[in-house]
Amino acid sequence: MKTLRLLLLVSFAVAFSFTSVAQIRFGVKGGVNIAKATFDVANVEDNFAVDNLTGFQLGPTMEAMLPGIGIGVDVGLIYSQRGFKLTDRSDGQEASTRMGYIDLPVNLKWKFGIPIVKVYLTAGPYISLKVSQNSDLSSLAEKGSAILDDVKAKSFSAGLNFGMGVEVFKHLQVGANYGLGLTEDYKSDKPKVGDLFHPKSSLWSITAAYYF
């Protein structure tokens, strides 16, 4: 966790230092999220199939690029939906939990190619603050895992982004991103269970951004 905090501090420092000498553009980004959680507690995945949950993301973004070398940063303030879905292995009954987060990604960006079409690569940390949670997991709580009756998303999470895409006509960027969760995103307050409950999330996103 200390390493992650240091990486976040360094990333924010680099991002702000870029803004003093870089060419800055503002835009809006939206896309589709495909999220999944993994659990360390055996009786969750023994009794239930953990499936992908589809959501969306939308929000403002800023790109700051150093002139002439194609290196810069992009920063966003994105509303993002993610969570997970469970399917009872015995009868196929489904339930899910869906959270809304405000994400703050800070990515190093490298663009290369010709002016009309450029390829870009991104990587960097993100932090997420939970703003909502909707869940019907209690409907499965009596079917094999008492943990499910008390699963809650934590208010803070963080991880690393890795992405690539294409920029066309200098304004439109279309890409794919993988978010690797480094924190435990969910918790259970039940006695003894909480010590064993260490779920983390991963997120694939297909996005489009338009810069003005």
Side-chain angles (χ1 to χ4, degrees), residues 141-158:
E142 298 178 357
K143 291 193 161 191
S145 179
I147 298 170
L148 299 180
D149 195 32
D150 198 43
V151 172
K152 296 179 181 178
K154 294 184 178 181
S155 59
F156 172 85
S157 61

